[in-house]
Amino acid sequence: MPVIEVADLVKEFSRPTRQEGRFAGLRTLLTREQTVKRAVDGVNFTVRQGEMVGYLGPNGAGKSTTIKMLTGILVPTSGTVTVAGATPWRDRSRNARRIGVVFGQRSQLWWDLPLRDSLWLISRLYDVPEARFRERQRQFSEVLDLGPFLDTPVRQLSLGQRMRGDLAAAMLYDPDILYLDEPTVGLDVIAKERIRTFVGELNRASGTTVVLTTHDLDDVEELCDRIILIDHGRVAYDGAVDELKTRYAPHRELVVQTDRLESVEGAEVVRREDGKVWLRFDPVRTPPAELVAAVLARHRVTDLSIVEPELESVIHRIYADRG
Amino acid sequence: MNAPTASATMTAPTSAKRPAGTLLRACLACARMEFRAALTYRTAYLSSFAMMLLQIWLLTVVWKALYDGRAEVDGLSLTTMTAYATLTTLQYQLVSPWRSSPIDQRVREGKVAVDLLRPVGFPAQMLSGQLGWASAAVPVLLVALPFALLIGAGRAPASAAAGFAYPVALIGALLVNQLLGLLLGMVSFWTLEVSGALMAYRFVAQFFSGALVPLWFMPGPVRAAAEWLPFQATAYTPAAVYLGRVEGLGIIAALGVQLAWICALGALAAFVWSRARRRVMSQGG
Ligand SMILES: Nc1ncnc2c1ncn2[C@@H]1O[C@H](COP(=O)(O)OP(=O)(O)O)[C@@H](O)[C@H]1O
Ligand SMILES: [Mg+2]
């Protein structure tokens, strides 16, 4: 049973048309002409309980707008969203308790006060029983290592620490669904890794459904089995990460360190450098084992490796194809 | 893929309607957070305290000079007048149009989106926060009170009835002021250019509240305007009750007017919020 169902989702923003020429500012203020921007343009997908879905796309593709409609902050222009049987923007208070939300760009913590206070307030807002709150706080202190900065005012936290605090705040009341909008933006490698480990563990241990928007493909490769690729408000691809690679980048490369190699049957030489040769092949037509055997039979090889296509280059190609 | 047993234990109880008790607890928690946040601005806090003591002392000096040796002006004794000035200055720490609502700031910082995610309504969160912030003035008042009495600027309540009615009137004043602040804050959902209007509002509100000049010294038409505006309920009403300027049924009437304003402003705020919410939810927070 899907826990999130999105059908024909459309969101248009309208704002007064910018006027040109003399008194442009004033005329923009007075004009009745509206410029309509379709941020989300007919999106369909469903998410099953316990799935981890990467919602991927370049800047301005409509990721955040979609998340805002899923969480109930925005009402769509048309289409439907059902989260655990309820419409988020109608059934607000019920929906609120089921979902945890982290926006990478805006914290839900109280700037002037220690992190500890924010967590306490959230436990009250979501009426978490006192004992459960203490237990959760202890768990998070452990897995997210909040201990050292639990009593530091949030404004003094580093971005990585703040994100960990935000994650704890979002999961404090045990929601079934976690929405993450660019959770790793601006973080260093170690901080990113820490967030990913936490989210992955959460999903494995508690079956939390995770929808993650990002333009960092490492987030997706590490966490998600499935990605939804969005471009100009439309779904460009929805499916498994591996399948995306086979569909859009069917070729693998065999890199061989060898003395002399002119050609091999079933593969194409695409590059030569420093005594290495790159051979491109289609693993469906030429099984890797056969190719390797063929190369080894005819050449003296000192080193050899097979290179998988990077998700990044795959996605570049998809966007390039779509124009 | 997912562990059903684990997810079952992780599911928080989801009830659509929340009992009033837990809502109150949530609102009190919001108030307490803002109370603490207000205390973190220590320098501002302490300097406002020093300014207040200075102001009380100056006012006693000024009114004494204005009375110029006379015991009464318009049937009003100098001690009553200084006590009025002191009282309104003290009250002003708690009930002031200056720090009325965090909404414009939250809109500017894009925090409204987060507020909308909470299972507690937005106006309830804001109003309890505002009340919490305002109540950070209470410790200051408790320290200032003995000082006021010491320099002879204070006075006991006019009667037992006045003594009992005063705290009620003060809470009424606080609520009227915060509802006005909430309404004004919600304007920032339409335009963020509120600072000019806010400044004008604060001066008008302060003047017509009677915090600078008591209503009884205002010329006829100005006084009539003041009586028909909500602002007098925020400063003049509690002070007049305390000093016995209104008595008996007059006290009931004064509290009734406050209550009427609370209801009217509350209803207006609910209406404005329903429009603002629609706007935020279609335009994005
Ligand atoms: N409140 C808004 N008003 C007008 N346009 C908006 C608003 N929010 C987003 N947009 C526009 O909608 C498009 C999608 O934005 P967004 O969902 O934030 O993209 P992403 O998160 O994928 O970077 C962008 O072109 C953006 O400028
Ligand atoms: Mg975004």
Side-chain angles (χ1 to χ4, degrees), chain A residues 81-102:
Chain A
V81 174
T82 313
V83 176
T87 302
W89 57 90
R90 291 214 187 90
D91 215 346
R92 328 195 96 264
S93 142
R94 195 145 65 107
N95 183 59
R97 285 152 201 276
R98 285 190 181 139
I99 64 167
V101 186
V102 173

Side-chain angles (χ1 to χ4, degrees), chain A residues 56-195:
Chain A
L56 222 72
N59 269 332
K63 303 182 296 292
S64 296
T65 306
T66 310
I67 293 289
K68 284 183 185 163
M69 291 188 281
L70 294 183
T71 52
I73 296 171
L74 269 181
V75 179
T77 307
S78 65
T80 57
V81 174
T82 313
V83 176
T87 302
W89 57 90
R90 291 214 187 90
D91 215 346
R92 328 195 96 264
S93 142
R94 195 145 65 107
N95 183 59
R97 285 152 201 276
R98 285 190 181 139
I99 64 167
V101 186
V102 173
F103 292 111
Q105 320 264 28
R106 49 182 100 174
S107 177
Q108 61 165 307
L109 305 170
W110 275 256
W111 230 228
D112 296 324
L113 295 172
L115 175 59
R116 186 190 292 283
D117 290 12
S118 286
L119 297 180
W120 172 80
L121 177 59
I122 286 164
S123 80
R124 286 296 167 92
L125 284 173
Y126 290 82
D127 41 78
V128 180
E130 194 69 37
R132 179 66 181 150
F133 167 55
R134 273 200 299 272
E135 188 188 329
R136 281 305 252 178
Q137 182 160 311
R138 212 200 52 240
Q139 285 174 2
F140 289 134
S141 297
E142 225 163 81
V143 288
L144 287 168
D145 197 18
L146 304 181
F149 51 89
L150 212 45
D151 292 301
T152 311
V154 172
R155 65 160 78 255
Q156 291 170 17
L157 298 183
S158 73
L159 190 58
Q161 292 173 328
R162 208 213 73 204
M163 279 314 298
R164 274 139 73 193
D166 260 301
L167 270 173
M171 292 310 298
L172 196 67
Y173 44 94
D174 300 310
D176 305 317
I177 304 169
L178 177 61
Y179 297 106
L180 301 166
D181 190 6
E182 307 261 4
T184 56
V185 71
L187 297 187
D188 63 46
V189 183
I190 295 167
K192 278 183 181 175
E193 198 49 47
R194 192 160 207 156
I195 304 273

Side-chain angles (χ1 to χ4, degrees), chain B residues 85-154:
Chain B
T86 306
L87 207 52
T88 48
T89 307
L90 288 173
Q91 284 173 188
Y92 202 69
Q93 291 290 311
L94 188 66
V95 187
S96 133
W98 285 94
R99 171 62 163 81
S100 25
S101 172
I103 296 179
D104 58 324
Q105 199 187 335
R106 294 194 77 79
V107 172
R108 209 171 295 119
E109 289 170 0
K111 291 238 174 188
V112 173
V114 174
D115 298 330
L116 286 172
L117 286 170
R118 305 292 184 209
V120 177
F122 179 79
Q125 286 177 60
M126 292 301 120
L127 199 57
S128 12
Q130 287 169 214
L131 289 169
W133 183 284
S135 57
V138 171
V140 170
L141 293 181
L142 292 180
V143 177
L145 215 53
F147 171 81
L149 293 171
L150 205 68
I151 63 165

